[in-house]
Amino acid sequence: MNASLSFRGASVTAVIVVLLTGVLAVGSLLPASSPVQVSPFIMTLAGKYLAYAMLALAVDLVWGFAGILTLGHAAFFALGGYAMGMYLVREIGARGVYGNADLPDFMVFLSWKSLPWYWWGSDHFPVALLLMLVVPAGLAGLFGWLAFRSRVSGVYLSIITQALTYALMLAFFQNGFGFGGNNGLTDFKDILGFDLHSPYTRAGMLFISGLILAGALLAARYVVGGRFGSLLIAVRDAESRTRFLGYRPEQVKLLVWVFSAVIAAIGGALYVIQVGIINPGEFAPANSIEAVIWVAVGGRGTLSGAVIGAILVNLGKTLFTAWLPEMWLYGLGALFMATTLFLPQGLMGLMRHLPEKRPSEVTPEVTNPEGGEA
């Protein structure tokens, strides 16, 4: 990187996100005859983009600041989605197709007699929130402890993260696994007693999603803006020297890895509430690879760039797949190559022409890479 990129704009981006979601939420409540009324379709798309922005933010934390190229963060996103989906399915109760108040429809169809133990308590919202946070964090902690303790890094780490999400995808495809198999979980009706199809609920959820994304962005900015952030960048750019100075790089990586997994899981939960479905396809390695592209397009190591990249690329995907659906993957590949060749610092890299910020407001840059002469 030829110039340090400021990420002071994270707070500005957070404010813009809240304002835009507020405008969309209000617009969705206007009469259908109003020329500025926001349709339910647009609301669903906006909610999906915000959820994907959470995933991109999580990837940027580990890739942009810790140098860990993850190709498996979709696993944490999907686990958070399934945790919320379990609660939403249990909320259906006797209103399901088979009228069984104790078992979800897919379990009745598969002749299950009782809920598996890992579904216990999932009909309570606090339990669902706990599952949403603890399960992805626990898996990330175990995986990270094994990988970083063994000093697995580079392309090898990327491959095993991809293997992790692929293995989970295959497991969740199995009907006997207890999560709806290929169809996943869907047909949600309400959350905490509020009708999910009500325009007021949709408006409220979109605004809440905006607040949560803004909060996650500010939390990430707080983490990387202090001493821990400097340590992260030191581990990214000169891990051996950092270890020589008495630090434990594997512990630093583990902390940010788990933190990013929790952010991705929250994004998955928000996705399920607003899109209305979660299935094993969300574990697909291609989703994790797309998230890396979002971050690259927006600007790696900038936080705001990850959010902007996720929203813009997915907006482009929506438009492109409507016009030329069979060409989307070629377009995405061309976008990634163009970014690599002409915008290696992403869209946020265009800020390099602006006046320099104070040292405390920029991502530190290694001027003497490891192995170079002092």
Side-chain angles (χ1 to χ4, degrees), residues 193-321:
F194 296 97
D195 182 7
L196 285 172
H197 304 289
S198 165
Y200 295 98
T201 305
R202 287 181 180 274
M205 283 309 310
L206 183 69
F207 187 64
I208 290 173
S209 296
L211 289 175
I212 292 175
L213 174 57
L217 189 57
L218 293 176
R221 174 63 182 87
Y222 176 80
V223 169
V224 301
R227 183 173 177 271
F228 182 76
S230 300
L231 188 56
L232 267 180
I233 295 162
V235 170
R236 179 193 70 189
D237 294 335
E239 182 172 341
S240 296
R241 292 185 179 184
T242 306
R243 181 176 285 107
F244 180 77
L245 291 173
Y247 294 100
R248 299 287 298 275
E250 59 273 13
Q251 293 181 355
V252 176
K253 290 180 178 180
L254 182 59
L255 286 174
V256 73
W257 180 260
V258 173
F259 179 55
S260 71
V262 170
I263 290 178
I266 296 173
L270 295 175
Y271 174 89
V272 169
I273 294 172
Q274 295 171 102
V275 176
I277 186 173
I278 180 71
N279 60 47
E282 297 302 328
F283 285 102
N287 292 345
S288 295
I289 296 173
E290 280 196 34
V292 170
I293 295 176
W294 305 337
V295 175
V297 170
R300 172 188 169 195
T302 61
L303 300 182
S304 295
V307 173
I308 295 170
I311 294 174
L312 290 182
V313 173
N314 279 285
L315 177 61
K317 180 179 182 179
T318 300
L319 298 175
F320 208 96
T321 51

Side-chain angles (χ1 to χ4, degrees), residues 28-51:
S28 69
L29 299 177
L30 296 176
S33 58
S34 173
V36 293
Q37 195 258 357
V38 180
S39 69
F41 176 72
I42 299 298
M43 293 291 286
T44 300
L45 282 181
K48 182 167 70 171
Y49 296 163
L50 293 177

